[in-house]
Each structure stands twice: as C-alpha cells, then as structure tokens.
Amino acid sequence: MATADVDALIVGAGFSGIYMLKRCRELGLSARVIDAATDVGGTWYWNRYPGARCDVESMSYSYSFSDELQRDWTWTERYAQQPEILDYVAHVVERFDLRRDMRFETRVTSAAFDETSNRWQVETDRGDNISAKYCVMATGCLSTTNLPDFRGLESFEGDTYHTGRWPHEAVDFTGKRVGIIGTGSSGVQSTPVIAAEAAHLTVFQRTPNFSVPAFHGPIDPDVVKMWKTRHRELRQHARTSRIGDIFEVSETSALDLTREARDAEFERRWGQGSFNFLASFTDLITSRAANDFAVDFAHKKIRQRVDDPEVAELLCPKDHPFGTKRLCVDTDYFETFNRDNVSLVDVKAAPIEEITPRGLRAGGKEFELDAIVFATGFDAMTGALLAIDIRGRGGIEFKEKWSDGPKTYLGLAVAGFPNLFTVTGPGSPSVLSNMITSIEQHIEWIADCMGYMEARDLTTIEASREAEDKWMRHVSDVADGTLFFESNTWYVGANIPGKPRVIYPYVGGVGAYRDICSKIAADGYAGFTLVSAAEHVSPAMGA
Ligand code: FAD
Ligand code: NAP
C-alpha cells in the first residue's frame, strides 16, 4: 500500500473501525483500515492482563447490527473474558470478510487536508502515502497508555508490565513479589487474580475507588434465551436509554424516601450487580446530598467485606462523589485485602518517590519487588488523536486547535477539518455508556452522512465554527449541572499532567444525544457546510 487512493481511510481496527469498514463496503466505497497492532480487536488486543473482561454484560457488550450474528454467537460468561471478546471480534471480521482491507503493524503518523484536491493525505510509519476522501479516526478513547514519569524506572532489575500493553506470552507470577500501581478498573480487575498467583502482592493506592460487585459467573441460559428472542426490542431500549444499556430506570429522587426505603432500594440494586446500582435514583450524579447516601452505603459494604478496619478505611473513597470517577465492577476485589499475601500501601499519604533497582521507594521506605504492574490508565479520549499530526484547512493543527481542550461538533467532527470524523470523540457520550451502543450510533451516523454526500455528489462536509462553539457550550453546561467536576478523574483530564481541565465526554445521555444527532442529519446536516464539486473553486485560481 505504499501509495493508495481510497474513498475512506479508517484508523483503528477495534469495534469502531471494523464496523466502519463494513458500512463503507455497503455504500460501495473503497476503504482501508490501518492499525498499529498485529491484529484486530483494539482494546481487547492490547489489554490482556490477568482478569481482563468487560463489565457491561456480554449480551449487551456486542454488536447489534446483525440479527443473524446475535442469534449465532453465544457468550459463555456474564462478563466475557478478554480472549472470548477477541474471538468474537475475529469471528465478526471473518464472517463479513473484512480482513482483506485491513493492514496491521502500521501506525498512522500524519493526516493533512489538501485544499486543492479536497482529499486527506495520510502517512504511516512504514512510508505509506494514502489519499482519501474521508478520514475516519476510530483510534479509541482508551488506547494511549499513561505511564507516569517515575524516577529510576529504567533502573528496575525486575519485570515491568502496563495493563494496556500486556504481553502476548503467558506471564507467570508464581513465587514472585509483585507490586501493582493503580486502583482503577484495570487494577481492580487484576488485583484478585494476581494475588491468587503471586507470593506477595503489594497494592500501591493513591485514590481508592468505588466498586460494585459483578456477581460474575457462567451466563444464565434464561438471559441468553431472552436476548435471542427479544434482541430487537432490548437493543432499541438500550439505544434510547441514558447509558446505552437496558438498566431499569428509576424515576425517584434519593431525597424523597425514608432511610429504610432508600437503603432497601440500594440493597436491591447492589444485589443485581454491575451498573444497576448507579441507576438506583434519578439524582445520584446531580445532587450532593443524594450522592452522599450512595457514598455511605458503599462505605458500609467495604467495611463489611474487609476484615481489618484500618485497611477498610483506607479503601473507602472519601475525596470524590460516587460514580463521578469511572465506577469499577469487581469480583472479590475488597476480599483480596483479607489475604495474608496482600498488603495495601497508601501512596497519597506517602507518594512514590522512585523506582529502584530492587523495587520501589515510597514514603522513605523501600518495597522489594520482582515485578511491577502499572495499572496507571490512559491519556483518554484525546491521546490517540493528538499523537497523530492532523492538519486541516490552512495547515491548522489539531494540537493547536485543542490546546485549551477539545473542540468538536457532536464529538464527531471538527471545524476546519472537512470530511474527518472522530468516532466516540470528546463531546460525545462514548465512555459514559455501553460503548458498543455508542460506537454503532456514530458509525451509522457517519455512514449515512457519507451516503448522503455520495448520492448528491458532494465533495466536502465541514462543521461550522458556530455550531461547534454552541455544542461545546452545551457539553459544558450539561456537565455543570452534575458532580463530575468534583473529582480528579480522566473524565476531566486530571490524570495527565498539563492536560486541559474540561469535561471530555458528553454527560447528557445516549438517547438524548442520539435524538440530537438524528435531527441534525434530518435537517440536511444542520451546522455543517456541504459543498459540491461544482461549487468548489480551486485556491490556486485565487478565489
Ligand atoms: P479501540 O478498541 O481502542 O481501538 C482503537 C485502535 O486504534 C487500537 O487498536 C489502536 O492500536 C489503533 N490506533 C490508534 N491510533 C493509531 C494510529 N495512529 N495508527 C494506527 N492505529 C492506531 N467499554 C464498555 O462499554 N464496556 C466495557 O466493559 C469496557 N471494558 C473495557 C476494558 C478495558 C480494559 C478497557 C481499556 C476499555 C474498556 N471499555 C469498555 C472501553 C473500550 O475501549 C470500548 O468498549 C471499545 O472496545 C473501543 O473500541 P474502539 O474501536 O473505538 O477503540
Ligand atoms: P484509571 O482508571 O485511570 O486508573 C489509573 C490508576 O492509576 C488510578 O488509581 C490512579 O490513581 C493510578 N495512578 C496513576 N498515576 C499514578 C501515580 N503516579 N502514582 C500512583 N498512582 C497512580 O485507568 P484504568 O484502571 O486502566 O481504567 C481506565 C478506563 O478503562 C476505565 O475507567 C474504564 O473506562 C476502562 N476499563 C474498563 C474495565 C472493565 O472493567 N471492563 C477494565 C479496565 C479498564 P488516581 O486515581 O489517584 O489518579
């Protein structure tokens, strides 16, 4: 592919890029997918750490676009493990014969909009030069790992791992003293599994996290039957819901009930596992008083699950409202701290000073380790996009345009960057939802838009600055009505030094967002400028 000319260039071969390719084919467009990985899967290719699995239930965490696919594929567990998700992704790729238009082990390094040809010129680290009418960034919200700049890291004589770049070969911690840094979802999932294998596990915790039990197990055959017979109705429900899944929606404020009634409802939701708890009341994310009830309830659960009261207190999150940091869903996370071979170190009180040849020093004390696992997360939502040198009209750089925080129209398009789409980009619900629902909605919107343009012989579509500004104000206004800014999280860019402190996802909900996007499309892509070949005047002609 050293030089190529395609209708659509798609960066990323995860759930997003795969479905985008399928939809492009259906439109009769030529398309290529490029990924830095050696194979398909995106998140599920890179995150192979012990215990990695989805925490949205398998039946929902899968494509809905094909009735046959949904009927034929059967998950084995309530929350599928990483290898099973990867098998599923590979199955989809083979089933729809998508692999022949994919290229791996290739990183897109730059994309520049050529105003003369009205096409994107894309370059890769292999020297490819691809010209494309459309450029779709399916680069992932959680694909650029964050490895904090720990002093002395290079000097460590043991093995190091990042959960988001886990090796393909089996990792054996048997007999080893392992340290894990990070207690987000990756840390919470891997800690119990590593603890069961290692001689000793030390968990270095800076901020404790809220976690709800998964109640994981083999998938219930009745649930499978229900989905297989009612999948259309259930998926439609998910698409119009707040978080892209089929949770029972509460219409009650936590403030309107007696303590007994409120706790009974919390208990019922807790018993259902996963994110059901977050949907207990209408106002957990908007009212501090309502949220405090959830905090108290979650603290009570931690104290019940952890034997040592001092350790339990350390594990109780006290510096942020419930659900404003990505909620974890765990299997035996808190109980793991009851094991003799597990210790918890508070690195907020005594920060990590350096990595040493033999381990790690925090609070003046050296912890001897044979291996360190960095469960330190990602440069979320913008990291992968900003790693590419993207230049739009007049050579304006993405980096420059987003220096104070991302600016998008609907999280899908960026003014000054015609025919470029960002799948689940900043300013869309994406990471605050069942992402497969959000991915499908974005891909279908983009494909419909491409179809609209092709049918009318249009050359470019570009978000207007006014529409973009208005959307960003809306994204910010909606977040202002919530408790999200009360947390130091990657949702507000707080995990990466120097990252602008704004709200990255749209918190208005999946269903409401879908309606907005659909209306904009139905109104002839309101807020976008669409130009036909005939209307384009070449800049070379001095227009
Ligand atoms: P990704 O899967 O991230 O794929 C993006 C791809 O783009 C990657 O393969 C990357 O290599 C490639 N890429 C990026 N930049 C370049 C470049 N410059 N050149 C070439 N290739 C490039 N979401 C949920 O809704 N439920 C869950 O339970 C859930 N569990 C998760 C568990 C983990 C461990 C993580 C990290 C995330 C989880 N997510 C979950 C979010 C998950 O990222 C999405 O659900 C989904 O898989 C994203 O798919 P994607 O195709 O948009 O992006
Ligand atoms: P994360 O939520 O960002 O957690 C990173 C952890 O590393 C935090 O505990 C953070 O502490 C800690 N950390 C970072 N820098 C540190 C430092 N210098 N010193 C000490 N601690 C440090 O990342 P993640 O766990 O990889 O999860 C990212 C997202 O991926 C999740 O929120 C979720 O959306 C998705 N995910 C989902 C699942 C699932 O269950 N399906 C699993 C994994 C990931 P602070 O909090 O103090 O910053």
Side-chain angles (χ1 to χ4, degrees):
M1 198 169 57
T3 59
D5 209 329
V6 291
D7 293 320
L9 193 276
I10 302 160
V11 191
F15 273 94
S16 301
I18 290 167
Y19 187 33
M20 189 75 253
L21 174 59
K22 182 172 185 296
R23 294 303 294 246
C24 283
R25 287 246 191 101
E26 286 164 9
L27 287 167
L29 300 176
S30 60
R32 295 285 182 286
V33 171
I34 295 184
D35 201 301
T38 61
D39 209 337
V40 294
T43 286
W44 305 102
Y45 170 90
W46 296 107
N47 290 265
R48 296 163 186 255
Y49 59 82
R53 57 174 80 246
C54 54
D55 58 3
V56 165
E57 295 188 37
S58 311
M59 294 307 293
S60 300
Y61 192 74
S62 48
Y63 289 121
S64 73
F65 62 72
S66 159
D67 288 353
E68 295 73 23
L69 175 64
Q70 289 185 85
R71 273 199 296 269
D72 294 351
W73 184 269
T74 300
W75 296 102
T76 61
E77 296 183 290
R78 182 172 177 185
Y79 310 91
Q81 278 199 57
Q82 173 270 335
E84 192 173 10
I85 302 175
L86 205 51
D87 283 352
Y88 170 78
V89 171
H91 167 79
V92 173
V93 168
E94 304 313 327
R95 187 180 181 117
F96 298 104
D97 185 26
L98 298 171
R99 195 175 284 277
R100 63 188 155 88
D101 286 326
M102 294 181 168
R103 182 170 160 119
F104 298 103
E105 294 181 80
T106 307
R107 183 166 288 281
V108 168
T109 50
S110 69
F113 185 70
D114 174 6
E115 292 182 67
T116 310
S117 62
N118 287 307
R119 291 176 72 83
W120 283 93
Q121 302 301 326
V122 177
E123 291 179 350
T124 75
D125 62 355
R126 288 202 186 207
D128 305 300
N129 204 316
I130 306 136
S131 166
K133 175 172 178 178
Y134 304 106
C135 190
V136 182
M137 293 297 177
T139 44
C141 293
L142 297 161
S143 57
T144 303
T145 51
N146 168 41
L147 181 60
D149 191 12
F150 290 112
R151 187 155 53 104
L153 178 58
E154 297 307 318
S155 73
F156 183 59
E157 287 165 2
D159 299 319
T160 57
Y161 306 91
H162 191 292
T163 49
R165 287 291 178 274
W166 203 262
H168 289 211
E169 311 76 56
V171 175
D172 187 2
F173 288 126
T174 311
K176 300 233 166 101
R177 296 162 302 173
V178 182
I180 183 166
I181 303 173
T183 51
S185 300
S186 303
V188 163
Q189 278 191 332
S190 52
T191 288
V193 186
I194 298 174
E197 189 174 283
H200 190 88
L201 177 68
T202 309
V203 179
F204 297 95
Q205 170 188 276
R206 188 165 66 182
T207 311
N209 248 334
F210 291 106
S211 182
V212 289
F215 297 117
H216 177 58
I219 203 157
D220 178 347
D222 289 339
V223 171
V224 174
K225 199 166 153 207
M226 175 188 80
W227 272 92
K228 294 219 181 218
T229 47
R230 291 175 50 203
H231 63 82
R232 284 200 179 175
E233 168 205 341
L234 297 174
R235 294 293 197 167
Q236 189 51 26
H237 177 90
R239 288 182 194 116
T240 54
S241 71
R242 189 169 176 77
I243 68 160
D245 209 339
I246 57 159
F247 297 118
E248 179 192 340
V249 179
S250 167
E251 288 178 1
T252 310
S253 159
L255 306 174
D256 286 347
L257 299 184
T258 61
R259 184 189 174 134
E260 290 69 31
R262 194 170 45 240
D263 278 358
E265 179 60 1
F266 274 144
E267 195 66 55
R268 187 178 76 83
R269 296 282 190 153
W270 191 268
Q272 291 171 338
S274 186
F275 296 102
N276 285 290
F277 184 80
L278 203 49
S280 303
F281 297 103
T282 52
D283 45 1
L284 291 189
I285 298 299
T286 49
S287 154
R288 188 69 206 223
N291 194 282
D292 283 346
F293 293 130
V295 169
D296 289 346
F297 187 87
H299 284 177
K300 185 182 81 185
K301 288 289 180 189
I302 294 169
R303 291 176 189 128
Q304 283 169 0
R305 294 171 72 183
V306 179
D307 297 341
D308 181 332
E310 268 183 44
V311 175
E313 278 326 290
L314 261 186
L315 288 165
C316 284
K318 290 174 186 147
D319 73 343
H320 63 275
F322 186 94
T324 54
K325 207 173 173 93
R326 169 59 151 78
L327 186 60
C328 301
V329 180
D330 74 279
T331 299
D332 296 338
Y333 175 67
F334 293 108
E335 290 79 359
T336 298
F337 294 92
N338 299 333
R339 296 176 63 109
D340 291 339
N341 72 331
V342 175
S343 42
L344 179 65
V345 176
D346 177 5
V347 294
K348 180 155 265 166
I352 297 171
E353 289 145 12
E354 61 174 339
I355 310 282
T356 65
R358 291 189 308 167
L360 179 162
R361 191 186 312 281
K365 182 177 171 197
E366 186 171 23
F367 296 85
E368 289 197 8
L369 302 168
D370 303 309
I372 303 177
V373 174
F374 296 97
T376 45
F378 301 87
D379 183 354
M381 301 206 74
T382 54
L385 292 166
L386 293 176
I388 304 172
D389 180 6
I390 307 176
R391 289 168 194 257
R393 284 195 192 285
I396 182 174
E397 289 178 63
F398 237 57
K399 264 195 197 88
E400 190 186 326
K401 172 155 182 162
W402 285 10
S403 58
D404 297 331
K407 294 181 182 64
T408 69
Y409 184 30
L410 304 172
L412 267 165
V414 184
F417 297 79
N419 294 5
L420 180 125
F421 300 101
T422 50
V423 183
T424 62
S428 74
S430 63
V431 293
L432 291 178
S433 66
N434 168 6
M435 284 203 69
I436 309 304
T437 309
S438 287
I439 286 169
E440 288 194 327
Q441 185 258 333
H442 263 196
I443 299 302
E444 284 158 15
W445 192 95
I446 295 167
D448 288 350
C449 173
M450 288 174 173
Y452 181 94
M453 290 183 63
E454 297 305 307
R456 289 162 183 77
D457 206 16
L458 296 170
T459 311
T460 54
I461 178 164
E462 183 177 351
S464 75
R465 252 165 249 284
E466 297 70 37
E468 186 178 80
D469 288 346
K470 196 171 162 207
W471 180 251
M472 293 320 293
R473 270 198 305 278
H474 175 61
V475 169
S476 172
D477 289 348
V478 178
D480 281 344
T482 69
L483 305 173
F484 277 100
F485 284 113
E486 294 187 27
S487 270
N488 287 322
T489 70
W490 60 261
Y491 289 153
V492 295
N495 67 327
I496 304 291
K499 193 163 174 171
R501 187 76 182 238
V502 296
I503 185 79
Y504 285 74
Y506 175 58
V507 305
V510 167
Y513 172 81
R514 170 183 291 271
D515 288 346
I516 295 168
C517 291
S518 301
K519 178 154 191 334
I520 284 168
D523 290 346
Y525 296 90
F528 288 92
T529 306
L530 295 100
V531 181
S532 68
E535 289 168 300
H536 269 293
V537 182
S538 162
M541 293 170 71

